[in-house]
Amino acid sequence: MIEAEDLRKSYGDLHAVNGISLRIERGEAFGLLGPNGAGKTTTLHMLAGAIRPDSGSVSIDGERDPTRSEVRNAIGIAPQDLAIYEELTAEENLRFFAKLYGLAGSRLGDRVAWGLEFAGLTDRRKDHAGKFSGGMKRRLNLACALVHEPRVLFCDEPTVGVDPQSRAHIFDRIEEVKRAGCTLVYTTHYMEEAQRLCDRVAIVDRGKVLADDSVDALIREYGGQSVVEAEFTKVPDDATSLPGEFDDTTLRIQTSEPFAALARLGDRGAEIAQLRVERPDLERVFLHLTGRRLRD
Amino acid sequence: MHAITTLARKDLTLLFRDKFALFWIFAFPLMYALFFGALFAGDDDGARSQIAIVVVDEAGTDESAALAERLAGHESLRVLTDENGDSLDDAKTLVRKGDCAAYVRIPPGFGGSPFRMFGGGDPNATPIEVGIDPSRATERGFLQGILMQTMFRGIADAILDKEKMTSEVDRAIGEIDNAEGLDAVQSAVLKTFLSSLRSFVGEVELETLEAGGPGQAFGDGQVSFVDVTRASGATPANSFEITFPSAIVWGLMGVAVSLAITLVRERTHGTLLRLRVAPISRAQLLAGKALGCFAMCMIVIAFLMVFATLALGVRIANLPLAVLAASAIGVCFTGLMMTVSVMGKSEPAVAGAAWGVMMPFAMVGGGMIPLIAMPPWLASVSNVSPFKWGILAMEGAVWRGFDLVDMLLPCGILVAIGAVFFGVGVAVFRRIDG
């Protein structure tokens, strides 16, 4: 279990993290979502023990000092930057990081082979990482985080900037890791990833947690109603009495029960050419909580 | 220790795969040593550099030919032969083009009598003319001294020739007798002196003076030049023994700069974050970096010295002291690497800062300008440069004949500089890393 209590971190006048408290259960997949500069990465680094908070505390499985080697052996991190050595081969990268965690002998060989297979790079094991595509580097970046079999994996935007194939590969592999019981702390800009993977999500902005709950609960709380948009080939006679906004041939209804609304339209004799149902999702929750103002 | 060696081996692997860094670490120092070694070597092994001159003999006398011959035989001169003739214009062209430092023109009328002090010779004779390249001001005085020495040698030869000397004194006495307007007292004094000289020449066995050679008779042979070192015979066997210690320091500068850049690259590429989360302490992380740098320094020194020994005949006078010097230099440059690595937040910034720090050290420390060519104030400034102490320590072990006590000063200073810079680097690194 990971517990963070009132974490704070400033860089000069900038309060990057301003009192974040979290509790992540063992084996849970926990998402940290937020706009650019919200404090996600700083929080992740403090949770992983890479940087020291100005105040507040972090404990992992009850251990309050994340710099202890027992704690560090339990942690793996896949940073947003590609934290691999481009002049080393895929195999050398995995071997180097595995050796830092004390792996040796046959276990070292087994784990390096596992890492190459995990990243889909067994055939390219002798190639320098600098020659790899962005997707291959991302996969290797993740494999290096997992080569020592950590109990907790911190992933900072692990699928950013890769093609759909690599993204699917990485995502499938992370789901495997989750199924194996590894605790996941995951930051991403891809809401569908968080929605699919995470048991619980914290929306962070300006260094504070705005909301922290399961995805469904957040959607219920902040997602609003579904939107049903229907374009008619035959407009019902009493079109003006229809619920929602009607514009010549198109009706837009906001409702918490979209299928019931559709059934009522059919009862009124409406003939529908196109239909679109937009259910509330995490992206809407995100925008609702953090606003639509650009954060560049 | 396992983690430290793993980190160090990784850094060495990365460095050996960086072709640009390898150039500065191995190729450039080798080129430096070979180029300047060849430059200082001259035409024959171990010879000092000679001043190239051309002699234009317009007199065509025995004396002018003898003077030209003496100049050609001087150890510090290399007299060029002008294939297009010996005209003054040709000689001037050679000097203008930089093919030689100066020309020496022996004008018509030179010779006849070496005893002009006795009133002989042509009073209107043109003096010997030396035309010198203005950019070779250093050699001007040196060349003047050589010419005076050579001409005096000619006078000495003539004085020791009894027959010629007697004839010249008789001629001078005759000229005094025939001189018009010469004061009687002056005439008497000069004739008394010349008569005594004639008696001296006639009665003294000049062969006695000649036994030690003309030079001995007139004293200039009493001066000899020796290379000063502690051990007898411990002079540089060749110029590469002088250039390789400097080259080593240049190579280690390349190591320090390259590894400083790899440390900041770790930060910008995110691998430092991964290392920080690994079960290694910050002390182990920095120790791994330091070990990698130190090991690379040793590899560079070993490579350059083995090459110099096997290929160029460089002798290492004292191998254990050479190892001591190498270790001290390695410690020093490891410390420098640590400080340089925290002087910027990006690779270009650190690279710029690294050269900004190292180049002044090289300039004042004898890496570019020989220490002996520096004015006193700059020579004093050079004491702050690890280049100076590194070169001195290496030279001490290679050819200066230092003993352990002599080595303590340069090696102690190198280790102290290394420790200070390493401490500064670690302190700043800890502050940056939170």
Side-chain angles (χ1 to χ4, degrees):
Chain A
M1 185 175 67
I2 303 169
E3 274 190 294
E5 198 172 319
D6 198 26
L7 292 179
R8 291 174 192 275
K9 184 75 183 176
S10 299
Y11 297 102
D13 294 334
L14 175 70
H15 301 293
V17 175
N18 197 10
I20 284 183
S21 298
L22 299 168
R23 182 186 169 94
I24 302 165
E25 299 297 333
R26 185 175 288 184
E28 188 177 28
F30 185 85
L32 271 174
L33 305 185
N36 291 333
K40 306 183 296 291
T41 298
T42 306
T43 303
L44 193 83
H45 289 178
M46 285 192 286
L47 293 176
I51 54 175
R52 208 185 299 272
D54 294 340
S55 64
S57 64
V58 175
S59 73
I60 295 178
D61 290 338
E63 176 56 66
R64 287 199 165 269
D65 182 4
T67 61
R68 284 175 60 94
S69 63
E70 301 83 45
V71 178
R72 289 191 162 181
N73 271 310
I75 290 174
I77 187 166
Q80 184 175 350
D81 294 322
L82 291 164
I84 53 176
Y85 296 103
E86 300 208 335
E87 299 82 1
L88 300 184
T89 66
E91 185 176 1
E92 286 170 339
N93 267 290
L94 286 163
R95 189 171 293 277
F96 168 69
F97 287 114
K99 285 168 87 172
L100 279 188
Y101 284 86
L103 271 63
S106 61
R107 180 147 188 265
L108 174 65
D110 291 346
R111 289 305 297 172
V112 169
W114 175 89
L116 288 166
E117 191 279 327
F118 177 89
L121 293 170
T122 304
D123 294 341
R124 304 287 300 272
R125 62 195 301 151
K126 299 290 182 193
D127 288 351
H128 289 180
K131 292 179 181 171
F132 290 166
S133 68
M136 293 159 85
K137 288 178 185 173
R138 281 268 162 226
R139 277 142 46 197
L140 181 59
N141 191 39
L142 185 59
C144 288
L146 289 163
V147 70
H148 61 288
E149 289 188 279
R151 295 199 308 273
V152 180
L153 175 64
F154 294 95
C155 288
D156 194 2
E157 310 263 6
T159 60
V160 72
V162 300
D163 60 32
Q165 287 79 10
S166 278
R167 194 175 161 203
H169 179 99
I170 290 169
F171 204 77
D172 290 345
R173 294 303 196 167
I174 289 174
E175 284 190 316
E176 277 177 28
V177 171
K178 181 191 171 189
R179 280 196 295 276
C182 183
T183 306
L184 275 175
V185 183
Y186 197 92
T187 77
T188 183
H189 280 116
Y190 299 113
M191 298 299 149
E192 70 277 17
E193 281 185 8
Q195 199 162 345
R196 179 176 149 190
L197 181 73
C198 296
D199 303 312
R200 222 148 45 84
V201 164
I203 309 280
V204 180
D205 197 11
R206 294 188 174 85
K208 290 177 180 291
V209 174
L210 303 180
D212 171 8
D213 212 330
S214 68
V215 173
D216 288 343
L218 286 174
I219 290 172
R220 275 199 304 276
E221 178 77 20
Y222 302 104
Q225 295 178 313
S226 296
V227 174
V228 175
E229 204 171 84
E231 188 181 333
F232 300 118
T233 50
K234 182 189 172 195
V235 179
D237 297 336
D238 56 346
T240 51
S241 67
L242 287 171
E245 301 163 21
F246 184 66
D247 177 20
D248 290 339
T249 59
T250 303
L251 178 69
R252 182 182 163 88
I253 309 169
Q254 287 200 26
T255 174
S256 56
E257 295 177 334
F259 296 109
L262 282 170
R264 283 197 294 277
L265 284 176
D267 293 344
R268 292 187 177 196
E271 290 181 14
I272 298 170
Q274 282 192 38
L275 179 70
R276 189 170 67 84
V277 179
E278 186 185 309
R279 294 180 62 83
D281 59 10
L282 201 52
E283 183 162 345
R284 208 192 285 177
V285 173
F286 183 86
L287 290 173
H288 174 80
L289 288 169
T290 61
R292 291 179 173 272
R293 191 171 58 82
L294 292 174
R295 303 299 181 87
D296 297 332
Chain B
M1 193 62 196
H2 174 74
I4 294 171
T5 54
T6 301
L7 285 163
R9 267 181 27 203
K10 180 265 298 176
D11 277 343
L12 290 179
T13 307
L14 293 178
L15 208 52
F16 274 108
R17 290 182 184 170
D18 184 345
K19 292 186 177 65
F20 188 70
L22 288 183
F23 171 81
W24 289 108
I25 292 169
F26 290 107
F28 176 75
L30 202 56
M31 287 160 56
Y32 172 93
L34 292 174
F35 176 75
F36 284 104
L39 203 67
F40 297 151
D43 292 335
D44 54 292
D45 193 26
R48 301 292 188 270
S49 297
Q50 294 172 311
I51 302 174
I53 64 166
V54 61
V55 177
V56 182
D57 184 0
E58 294 179 347
T61 60
D62 290 344
E63 288 79 4
S64 68
L67 176 61
E69 192 179 335
R70 282 195 296 276
L71 289 172
H74 198 285
E75 63 176 5
S76 297
L77 297 179
R78 183 161 53 93
V79 178
L80 301 180
T81 306
D82 184 6
E83 293 173 356
N84 300 320
D86 294 331
S87 78
L88 186 59
D89 287 342
D90 293 336
K92 285 180 177 175
T93 303
L94 283 171
V95 175
R96 256 199 312 273
K97 286 164 63 180
D99 292 336
C100 62
Y103 68 79
V104 176
R105 176 186 173 229
I106 306 173
F110 177 84
S113 171
F115 305 103
R116 289 184 186 168
M117 60 183 171
F118 305 138
D122 179 2
N124 300 317
T126 311
I128 289 177
E129 177 181 312
V130 178
I132 192 155
D133 181 341
S135 69
R136 311 291 288 269
T138 312
E139 282 107 324
R140 178 193 293 265
F142 190 42
L143 191 56
Q144 188 176 16
I146 291 172
L147 277 169
M148 294 306 293
Q149 179 196 26
T150 306
M151 290 170 68
F152 189 72
R153 180 70 57 82
I155 294 171
D157 287 346
I159 287 172
L160 292 172
D161 184 336
K162 182 179 279 189
E163 189 178 326
K164 193 168 186 176
M165 186 67 180
T166 305
S167 158
E168 285 296 327
V169 172
D170 287 344
R171 184 187 56 73
I173 291 171
E175 284 182 0
I176 291 169
D177 287 338
N178 298 328
E180 292 178 5
L182 183 64
D183 179 72
V185 176
Q186 291 291 316
S187 173
V189 170
L190 284 171
K191 284 173 72 175
T192 302
F193 168 69
L194 288 170
S195 298
S196 301
L197 182 60
R198 193 178 187 285
S199 300
F200 171 78
V201 171
E203 292 169 15
V204 172
E205 290 298 326
L206 291 176
E207 290 76 11
T208 308
L209 297 175
E210 222 171 354
Q216 295 297 319
F218 287 88
D220 63 331
Q222 300 301 318
V223 180
S224 67
F225 293 89
V226 293
D227 292 310
V228 179
T229 57
R230 172 177 292 272
S232 174
T235 53
N238 60 45
S239 55
F240 296 112
E241 290 187 1
I242 298 170
T243 58
F244 264 82
S246 299
I248 283 171
V249 183
W250 276 103
L252 300 198
M253 190 171 102
V255 172
V257 172
S258 300
L259 278 167
I261 291 171
T262 65
L263 187 52
V264 75
R265 189 181 292 153
E266 298 255 29
R267 185 177 288 123
T268 57
H269 286 206
T271 46
L272 186 62
L273 173 69
R274 210 192 272 287
L275 297 178
R276 294 286 314 281
V277 176
I280 53 172
S281 65
R282 189 151 37 191
Q284 283 176 306
L285 174 59
L286 296 175
K289 286 281 167 197
L291 179 63
C293 185
F294 183 79
M296 194 65 195
C297 289
M298 295 300 105
I299 290 169
V300 171
I301 293 172
F303 165 76
L304 288 172
M305 289 316 295
V306 168
F307 182 90
T309 305
L310 298 180
L312 301 168
V314 167
R315 305 161 308 170
I316 300 174
N318 191 324
L319 190 58
L321 289 185
V323 173
L324 174 67
S327 304
I329 299 169
V331 167
C332 180
F333 277 83
T334 300
L336 280 173
M337 178 278 295
M338 199 61 228
T339 288
V340 166
S341 72
V342 295
M343 291 180 74
K345 291 185 175 175
S346 66
E347 291 171 51
V350 168
W355 290 110
V357 169
M358 297 288 188
M359 291 308 270
F361 276 154
M363 282 192 285
V364 303
M368 292 178 177
I369 311 161
L371 291 168
I372 54 165
M374 290 180 179
W377 68 269
L378 191 55
S380 301
V381 171
S382 74
N383 288 331
V384 303
S385 170
F387 264 70
K388 173 188 173 167
W389 300 108
I391 292 169
L392 185 64
M394 214 62 216
E395 285 182 348
V398 172
W399 61 266
R400 283 187 183 274
F402 277 18
D403 61 19
L404 185 60
V405 174
D406 295 325
M407 290 294 274
L408 287 179
L409 178 67
C411 290
I413 289 173
L414 285 166
V415 171
I417 291 173
V420 168
F421 277 104
F422 192 82
V424 169
V426 168
V428 177
F429 181 87
R430 289 169 71 94
R431 192 171 58 80
I432 292 172
D433 248 28

